[in-house]
Amino acid sequence: MARGKGSGSTYYDQAKGKWAAEVKWIDPATGRVRKVKRYAETRREAEKLLAELVDQKAKGLLAEPSKLTTREFAQEYLKRLAREGLRPNSLRLAKDELAYALPSLKEPGAHDPIGRMRLQEVKPAHIRAVLDDLLEQGYAPRTIRRVHMRLKALFREALRLELVARNPVEAVSLRLPQGERVARALEPHEVARLLEEAGRSKSPDMALLLRLMLETGLRRGEALALQWRDIDFARGELRVWRAWAKVNGKATFTGLKTPTAKRPVPVPLKLLALLEARRQELLERLTPEELAEVFLFGGDRPFDPDAFNHYLRRLAQKAGLGRVRAHDLRHTWASPALSRGIPLEVVSERRGHANPNITLGIYRHLLEEERRGYVIDLEDLLKGPGNRPQA
């Protein structure tokens, strides 16, 4: 069905066996005829598509026809993130998350329906199919949520660059099992058993590293990067300013995840005493200047990041705790801290989060349980601050 000049047309395409919606116009910059065509199963759907195309053209949102595939654009996107200074580990994570949906990013010969499609052809139904397939394969809800978020960011970038007319991921909502926690927080008796086994282990340095992570909530890489010069015994705090991590299979120093991750962290008194005792042992054979350059855990070079993981796994098995990960130790510190009334902002600062909203997202379930305890009768409320009830 033909319409007025510039308003497009719909017609049945015999070759495709589908209805087509087509818009043509003269590009004022080049003088060339531009054409955008979309297909639908029915005439009514084609009419609807045409109306969308005309509206997008009027708003300047109609993308230039391109043969760029989703995989090719994802590769460009990752290179751009690297140029913009994204940390190596974060860049690797971004690629891993995209590769769940676009396997050819890691294995060029892998079956990859979306990756091989033209970027402009990807529709919400294609995104939905990929996420459903991941769920059927048994991937955790958190993993699928991360893939969904990463795809959304990828197409949002394409939209900003006017390579696509709309973000197909925005239309796909996720309804996944709730209640999954990011990490496990050990119970007090489990911590006691873990420390008891650590006391019997043949590596006092690893045992001290375990205790430091449990008592400060530091990330593994942050703790491994510490040198003795980073501890201020007079102030009772340590300084976190870098991390020791694996990048492409090789241990190296990296920057921290966020600017706020550079931070001073108070050290509990008993832990400070243990560190001081270890420091005095080392001063028997090193000068203070030499000791300042020594790493707390490893000497002249930090322990390999994987070494602590292996140590913790063996220790947890001996303690009968099942699987315990290094990241669980951060949650083991944060959960009781929040339960005992330490302000969310303080916990967020100690954990090195970019802002308290991140902390809130992780521990929302815990804070909601705590809030339920604050149910106060009017009579108690009016008694005054001297008789304030406890939650």
Side-chain angles (χ1 to χ4, degrees):
M1 179 185 293
R3 289 171 173 76
K5 187 176 180 181
S7 58
S9 62
T10 58
Y11 59 90
Y12 188 75
D13 189 321
Q14 296 285 352
K16 292 278 189 179
K18 293 183 178 182
W19 281 86
E22 183 180 270
V23 175
K24 291 182 182 179
W25 69 97
I26 303 295
D27 188 333
T30 64
R32 292 185 301 175
V33 175
R34 286 187 56 188
K35 179 174 66 175
V36 175
K37 186 188 297 186
R38 302 281 189 270
Y39 291 97
E41 297 297 332
T42 67
R43 180 174 178 174
R44 179 174 291 183
E45 290 173 354
E47 294 281 351
K48 185 177 178 181
L49 272 179
L50 180 64
E52 291 177 1
L53 290 175
V54 171
D55 181 59
Q56 289 166 8
K57 177 182 175 297
K59 295 176 180 176
L61 298 176
L62 212 51
E64 179 80 29
S66 169
K67 293 183 179 179
L68 184 71
T69 67
T70 310
R71 175 177 179 266
E72 290 168 343
F73 180 70
Q75 290 173 322
E76 292 180 8
Y77 171 73
L78 291 168
K79 289 178 183 176
R80 191 175 302 116
L81 291 179
R83 288 196 300 271
E84 291 171 355
L86 190 67
R87 294 174 68 248
N89 274 355
S90 297
L91 188 64
R92 176 183 54 77
L93 181 61
K95 183 175 182 179
D96 288 346
E97 290 169 349
L98 280 174
Y100 283 111
L102 311 172
S104 61
L105 277 177
K106 284 191 169 182
E107 302 175 34
H111 178 65
D112 188 357
I114 290 185
R116 286 173 168 73
M117 288 178 69
R118 288 195 302 113
L119 186 70
Q120 295 171 341
E121 291 179 335
V122 179
K123 293 181 171 56
H126 299 126
I127 302 296
R128 175 83 274 168
V130 166
L131 297 177
D132 286 346
D133 185 55
L134 291 175
L135 189 60
E136 289 173 7
Q137 291 182 53
Y139 285 100
R142 180 171 180 262
T143 299
I144 298 173
R145 289 189 189 97
R146 294 297 306 171
V147 174
H148 181 255
M149 289 173 60
R150 189 64 66 179
L151 284 172
K152 189 180 292 186
L154 177 73
F155 278 93
R156 194 174 287 152
E157 176 71 1
L159 187 61
R160 278 194 290 264
L161 296 174
E162 297 185 6
L163 294 173
V164 296
R166 63 178 180 176
N167 187 336
V169 190
E170 297 284 358
V172 179
S173 60
L174 286 181
R175 294 181 179 85
L176 297 172
Q178 297 298 314
E180 181 193 34
R181 297 187 181 180
V182 178
R184 169 187 178 186
L186 300 179
E187 297 294 333
H189 70 277
E190 293 178 315
V191 173
R193 281 157 58 187
L194 199 61
L195 290 175
E196 185 180 340
E197 285 297 334
R200 288 197 286 261
S201 71
K202 297 179 181 179
S203 177
D205 284 347
M206 282 290 192
L208 186 59
L209 172 57
L210 169 68
R211 180 146 195 156
L212 183 141
M213 290 176 66
L214 279 168
E215 292 206 50
T216 61
L218 262 60
R219 297 176 178 91
R220 179 194 63 184
E222 293 171 343
L224 287 174
L226 291 172
Q227 292 175 286
W228 285 100
R229 63 178 178 176
D230 295 322
I231 301 181
D232 186 331
F233 285 92
R235 293 176 62 89
E237 65 182 29
L238 56 83
R239 179 174 64 108
V240 176
W241 60 283
R242 61 179 173 176
W244 176 252
K246 278 282 184 73
V247 179
N248 297 324
K250 183 180 178 181
T252 185
F253 289 107
T254 69
L256 299 176
K257 284 193 171 185
T258 65
T260 52
K262 283 188 176 183
R263 63 200 189 278
V265 177
V267 181
L269 290 177
K270 288 184 179 179
L271 175 60
L272 196 66
L274 290 173
L275 290 169
E276 176 61 26
R278 176 63 176 147
R279 177 171 170 267
Q280 291 303 323
E281 288 177 15
L282 294 172
L283 284 173
E284 291 178 5
R285 54 186 176 83
L286 297 172
T287 67
E289 292 75 18
E290 290 172 332
L291 180 62
E293 302 302 316
V294 172
F295 291 92
L296 267 68
F297 309 107
D300 294 334
R301 176 185 170 88
F303 288 143
D304 185 279
D306 292 336
F308 180 71
N309 290 355
H310 299 321
Y311 170 79
L312 182 60
R313 185 177 65 248
R314 292 192 299 270
L315 207 65
Q317 288 174 346
K318 289 180 180 178
L321 302 180
R323 185 187 181 203
V324 177
R325 300 171 300 174
H327 202 62
D328 297 339
L329 305 181
R330 271 167 64 77
H331 289 262
T332 298
W333 176 85
S335 290
L338 287 167
S339 296
R340 294 177 185 179
I342 295 179
L344 178 69
E345 292 79 6
V346 174
V347 174
S348 179
E349 177 188 321
R350 298 282 173 84
R351 283 176 60 90
H353 284 160
N355 61 68
N357 286 334
I358 294 174
T359 316
L360 178 62
I362 296 172
Y363 296 103
R364 188 182 301 276
H365 65 282
L366 178 66
L367 293 172
E368 286 175 353
E369 289 171 7
E370 290 299 308
R371 287 191 186 102
R372 290 193 190 103
Y374 289 93
V375 180
I376 306 173
D377 289 330
L378 178 61
E379 290 79 6
D380 291 330
L381 193 64
L382 297 175
K383 285 179 180 177
N387 297 300
R388 184 173 296 160
Q390 298 297 316

